[in-house]
Amino acid sequence: MPDLDDAFAGAVAVPFWLDDPDAPEPQPALTGTGEADLVVVGGGFTGLWTALLAKERDPARDVVLLEGRTIGWAASGRNGGFCSASLTHGLGNGMAHFPDELVTLERLGNENLDEIEQTVGKYGIDCAFERTGEVSVATQPWQVDELAEGADELRRFGHDAELFDRDQMRAEVDSPTYLAGVWHRDGTAMLNPARLAWGLRDACLRLGVRIHEHSRVRGVHSVGGRLRVDTSRGALTTDAVALGTGVFTPLLRRLRHFLLPVYDYAIVTEPLTDAQLSSVGWHNRQGLADSGNQFHYYRLTSDNRILWGGYDAIYHFGNRVRTSLQQRSATFERLAMHFYQTFPQLSRVGFTHTWGGVIDTCSRFCAFFGTAHAGRLAYAAGFTGLGVGATRFAANVMLDQLSGAETERTRLQLVRSKPVPFPPEPLRYGVVQLTRWSLARADNRQGRRNVWLRALDKFGVGFDS
């Protein structure tokens, strides 16, 4: 095990994706008063897709997007860059919550991923889009049978899933910790999330969307049958509002009961040499994730660094969201130790970036939807770490809802139902800590879930990043 001080000696406390000299200059803040047909609040993936799709549906529609800081600075620019077709955080979670419509949800999710790929091509978005799929690996004996069952389930729903034994897995990507793997070939693309956000921003501007950054929305109010959106230095009167603000202080009080801000962390290595990459294999460049309750996700970047994240999912009492919480040395050291245990052949590789980001977690692990202000406002939130792809689907849902039209999307139980709300503090913090302890204990007891976890399973409630 290398000295961790040396491993992080050259690291900067900045998200790797956002540390890019080609990052665009921000659009000017909103000042004064004005009008719009549609105001989109939030400049992450949810808001960007909503603005873009609104203009594609109706080029004459006057669309304004308001962002409190800069485009893609929060969860959209801090994630691992896994763009999944799943709208339900995987088949297992979908089966637990929406068994009667899972065939439809899988089809819609696959179509959504195809359409993301088409949009990247249509607008020439340089985001290193690679449809390489994802490999789930077993690192403990109890996970091997679960992976095999998961592969069978994927095939039952028409997915291309290949099961690897130990030797086959190590021939694909070489780690002494691997016991088996499943390559889900068609369900995930790798991409650079910040460049996707900036590419969507540019596409919106080309279609005529007005974007104002550094324009934090302070409130939304009904005024004479329309809505007024107030910022610190301006205001807009509009016919409709779409909220895509994630876990940040909700403009609708009701959302506070359903959202839990969970901090997730990642580190990135320096670029691997040809010899270092050859020692690992990984010629097919898939995303990888191990199969514990506390899991890691990892992937290659376009310049052959390894992004390594996950494991810790940290909730702070009182739903705290602070810039200071984006760095956590204990987690970075833990991630580094796990990285070197997984790839001992890379013991000379150091890390260049460390960061954290906050995830809008909900108890059912996948997005929920709703309207307010007599249907003039729509919202989507609760993506729980799988929003890179699902946000585009959510944007279409919100636009359908604002139009008042009944569609295949708006008829879904996924759209019409809500997750179980989280309890208030201090019970909320206690429940989260008990759940985290129980998940870690299950990983150390061959996956056996205690009474608390079994009770949560029964009621379809969980905690995850």
Side-chain angles (χ1 to χ4, degrees):
M1 179 76 67
D3 182 278
L4 295 184
D5 289 336
D6 292 340
F8 286 105
V12 294
V14 178
F16 169 70
W17 307 117
L18 299 176
D19 188 18
D20 187 331
D22 294 327
E25 290 296 318
Q27 293 292 296
L30 178 69
T31 57
T33 59
E35 295 198 355
D37 297 328
L38 169 67
V39 173
V40 179
V41 183
F45 289 137
T46 306
L48 290 163
W49 280 117
T50 304
L52 182 65
L53 291 169
K55 289 295 283 187
E56 288 185 339
R57 290 185 181 200
D58 181 1
R61 195 174 195 179
D62 183 19
V63 179
V64 176
L65 185 151
L66 301 175
E67 163 55 41
R69 292 183 63 171
T70 56
I71 295 297
W73 77 274
S76 296
R78 295 168 184 268
N79 59 77
F82 287 63
C83 186
S84 174
S86 178
L87 304 175
T88 61
H89 214 281
L91 273 179
N93 192 58
M95 185 62 71
H97 291 284
F98 312 107
D100 295 337
E101 62 187 28
L102 191 54
V103 170
T104 299
L105 289 169
E106 287 293 295
R107 173 178 58 78
L108 291 172
N110 291 331
E111 291 172 358
N112 184 64
L113 183 57
D114 289 342
E115 290 159 357
I116 290 172
E117 184 173 15
Q118 291 162 14
T119 299
V120 167
K122 175 181 178 180
Y123 293 103
I125 298 175
D126 179 17
C127 64
F129 190 97
E130 299 178 275
R131 201 149 179 181
T132 55
E134 181 178 358
V135 178
S136 300
V137 297
T139 57
Q140 297 292 331
W142 62 270
Q143 299 165 3
V144 174
D145 289 341
E146 289 188 3
L147 279 187
E149 293 169 5
D152 289 342
E153 193 75 356
L154 285 168
R155 295 189 197 105
R156 190 166 72 86
F157 280 86
H159 292 281
D160 183 355
E162 182 176 0
L163 181 64
F164 296 137
D165 63 20
R166 175 185 176 278
D167 292 340
Q168 291 169 324
M169 185 63 239
R170 292 193 61 176
E172 191 70 33
V173 181
D174 190 12
S175 168
T177 67
Y178 293 166
L179 303 177
V182 172
W183 185 2
H184 183 187
R185 292 175 180 270
D186 56 348
T188 304
M190 297 293 106
L191 53 78
N192 180 321
R195 283 182 171 260
L196 175 61
W198 298 333
L200 293 174
R201 166 194 179 274
D202 290 346
C204 285
L205 290 170
R206 280 152 53 191
L207 293 185
V209 175
R210 292 184 282 150
I211 296 178
H212 296 285
E213 298 176 72
H214 296 294
S215 301
R216 182 180 177 187
V217 174
R218 304 292 186 180
V220 178
H221 310 281
S222 293
V223 178
R226 302 185 79 198
L227 296 176
R228 190 185 74 235
V229 181
D230 294 321
T231 72
S232 54
R233 292 194 285 167
L236 292 170
T237 302
T238 183
D239 298 320
V241 171
L243 287 186
T245 52
V247 78
F248 295 95
T249 304
L251 296 168
L252 288 177
R253 184 177 294 273
R254 72 188 70 168
L255 297 183
R256 299 177 186 178
H257 305 297
F258 298 109
L259 291 174
L260 197 76
V262 174
Y263 276 85
D264 180 58
Y265 297 91
I267 56 180
V268 165
T269 70
E270 60 197 10
L272 302 187
T273 65
D274 290 344
Q276 287 167 336
L277 185 57
S278 178
S279 73
V280 177
W282 213 341
H283 305 296
N284 290 306
R285 301 183 59 81
Q286 314 96 323
L288 278 90
D290 50 44
S291 303
N293 292 297
Q294 293 180 290
F295 64 94
H296 309 90
Y297 57 85
Y298 43 113
R299 46 82 52 96
L300 291 168
T301 65
S302 58
D303 60 349
N304 289 333
R305 302 167 188 262
I306 296 177
L307 182 151
W308 182 271
Y311 198 79
D312 283 347
I314 306 299
Y315 170 71
H316 297 275
F317 185 88
N319 278 23
R320 276 194 299 146
V321 176
R322 301 282 188 276
T323 300
S324 60
L325 301 177
Q326 294 170 5
Q327 294 290 315
R328 194 169 190 268
S329 58
T331 293
F332 298 141
E333 290 173 4
R334 183 176 296 114
L335 287 173
M337 288 190 293
H338 294 167
F339 172 85
Y340 291 127
Q341 289 165 2
T342 302
F343 296 124
Q345 64 270 50
L346 300 181
S347 61
R348 295 182 180 273
V349 173
F351 302 98
T352 62
H353 295 75
T354 66
W355 75 95
V358 64
I359 293 170
D360 58 334
T361 301
C362 75
S363 63
R364 74 182 190 190
F365 296 173
C366 58
F368 63 93
F369 308 85
T371 61
H373 293 285
R376 293 189 295 271
L377 181 149
Y379 61 83
F383 295 94
T384 315
L386 217 66
V388 175
T391 47
R392 184 186 180 280
F393 173 83
N396 270 317
V397 169
M398 289 194 292
L399 292 172
D400 288 351
Q401 290 174 323
L402 291 171
S403 75
E406 182 178 297
T407 67
E408 181 181 35
R409 286 182 287 259
T410 61
R411 288 192 295 269
L412 291 167
Q413 184 67 17
L414 170 73
V415 172
R416 293 185 290 110
S417 63
K418 294 289 190 295
V420 175
F422 292 105
E425 297 288 19
L427 186 57
R428 177 178 291 208
Y429 184 79
V431 164
V432 170
Q433 296 308 107
L434 175 59
T435 304
R436 291 187 69 235
W437 175 83
S438 298
L439 290 171
R441 189 165 183 259
D443 281 338
N444 292 324
R445 298 176 68 242
Q446 293 76 52
R448 293 195 297 273
R449 299 170 76 81
N450 62 15
V451 172
W452 174 248
L453 293 179
R454 292 198 301 272
L456 294 181
D457 293 341
K458 180 179 180 180
F459 291 101
V461 177
F463 171 78
D464 196 1
S465 64

